């Protein structure tokens, strides 16, 4: 059974991935539209870098609703792996989520499909990233040009297209409510 949120920009998936070049890659992907908001390629991973990227995404989003939930695995960049108490406020990432009233949903251990959307993104990253030159070119291709089978494949829907449609629907709802007053 597939689960998708109805609204974009509310729930995001985050994960670190080690690519073929032995870089550590962190991405932030919207659950509903599959749009990748941002990503970084570094020599090493850390909780601090996870916070910095998520904070940057939150500041750059022009959305009526802020990010309310982050889905991650149990890696040390996201949780204190030495305790089961959540949130662990001495961990940088967990503290950031707690202070910003963001729900932290952890995937079940040993069940990568729980974070399957971002795992699938990393497959595409491996397939297309180095064919496209810069990270910006890869972003444009992934978000704006490449149709996603998980969206409306018959209409060759892209993550950016989903986001545009969502904003258009919000504008119609807002206009209708304003006219009713």
């Amino acid at each position: 059974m597939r689960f998708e949120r109805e609204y974009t920009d509310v729930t995001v998936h985050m994960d670190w991935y080690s690519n073929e070049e032995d870089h550590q890659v962190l991405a932030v992907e919207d659950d509903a539209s599959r749009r990748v908001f941002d990503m970084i390629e570094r020599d090493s991973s850390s909780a601090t870098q996870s916070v910095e990227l998520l904070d940057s995404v939150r500041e750059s989003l022009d959305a009526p609703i802020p990010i309310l939930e982050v889905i991650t695995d149990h890696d040390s960049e996201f949780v204190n792996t030495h305790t089961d108490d959540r949130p662990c406020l001495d961990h940088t990432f967990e503290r950031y989520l707690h202070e910003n009233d963001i729900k932290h949903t952890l995937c079940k251990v040993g069940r990568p499909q729980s974070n399957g959307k971002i795992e699938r993104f990393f497959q595409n990253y491996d397939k297309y990233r180095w064919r496209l030159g810069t990270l910006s070119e890869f972003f444009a291709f992934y978000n704006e040009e490449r149709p996603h089978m998980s969206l409306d494949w018959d209409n060759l829907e892209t993550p950016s297209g989903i986001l545009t449609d969502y904003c258009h629907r919000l504008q119609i709802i807002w206009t209708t409510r304003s006219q009713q007053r």
Side-chain angles (χ1 to χ4, degrees):
M1 171 187 251
R2 284 178 21 172
F3 180 77
E4 296 178 2
R5 271 116 186 125
E6 183 177 352
Y7 302 105
T8 62
D9 303 342
V10 175
T11 300
V12 297
H13 294 261
M14 290 182 73
D15 200 8
W16 281 95
Y17 171 73
S18 183
N19 70 13
E20 295 172 357
E21 311 293 319
D22 205 29
H23 290 122
Q24 300 300 310
V25 182
L26 173 64
V28 180
E29 181 181 35
D30 179 53
D31 182 77
S33 72
R34 309 302 197 277
R35 180 173 176 235
V36 174
F37 292 119
D38 204 355
M39 64 186 295
I40 55 174
E41 298 168 323
R42 300 289 188 261
D43 291 330
S44 62
S45 61
S46 73
T48 301
Q49 291 174 2
S50 301
V51 166
E52 289 171 355
L53 185 63
L54 182 57
D55 195 50
S56 170
V57 166
R58 290 179 67 231
E59 287 179 13
S60 67
L61 277 181
D62 185 24
I65 303 170
I67 292 174
L68 301 174
E69 179 181 17
V70 174
I71 301 171
T72 71
D73 56 21
H74 292 254
D75 286 345
S76 62
E77 297 89 357
F78 302 118
V79 296
N80 180 338
T81 57
H82 302 291
T83 182
D84 291 330
D85 295 334
R86 301 282 175 256
C88 178
L89 299 182
D90 64 348
H91 187 276
T92 305
F93 189 77
E94 289 187 80
R95 183 175 53 253
Y96 175 83
L97 295 180
H98 180 76
E99 290 172 353
N100 288 281
D101 203 24
I102 299 171
K103 178 182 177 185
H104 191 192
T105 300
L106 294 169
C107 299
K108 292 181 181 175
V109 176
R111 308 252 321 154
Q113 60 269 39
S114 300
N115 216 13
K117 293 170 187 173
I118 201 158
E119 299 293 344
R120 179 69 178 137
F121 163 75
F122 284 128
Q123 287 180 8
N124 285 301
Y125 171 87
D126 275 344
K127 186 175 182 178
Y128 298 110
R129 167 63 176 100
W130 305 111
R131 296 180 193 177
L132 295 166
T134 68
L135 195 55
S136 296
E137 290 171 327
F138 172 73
F139 262 173
F141 170 75
Y142 184 83
N143 285 329
E144 299 167 20
E145 298 172 26
R146 182 186 170 277
H148 288 241
M149 290 180 72
S150 62
L151 302 175
D152 186 353
W153 183 252
D154 293 336
N155 292 313
L156 301 177
E157 207 160 40
T158 65
S160 292
I162 289 282
L163 193 59
T164 301
D165 291 346
Y166 172 71
C167 290
H168 179 71
R169 286 194 316 267
L170 274 181
Q171 185 178 14
I172 290 170
I173 291 168
W174 181 259
T175 303
T176 303
R177 286 185 181 166
S178 295
Q179 291 172 350
Q180 291 174 348
R181 292 182 186 169

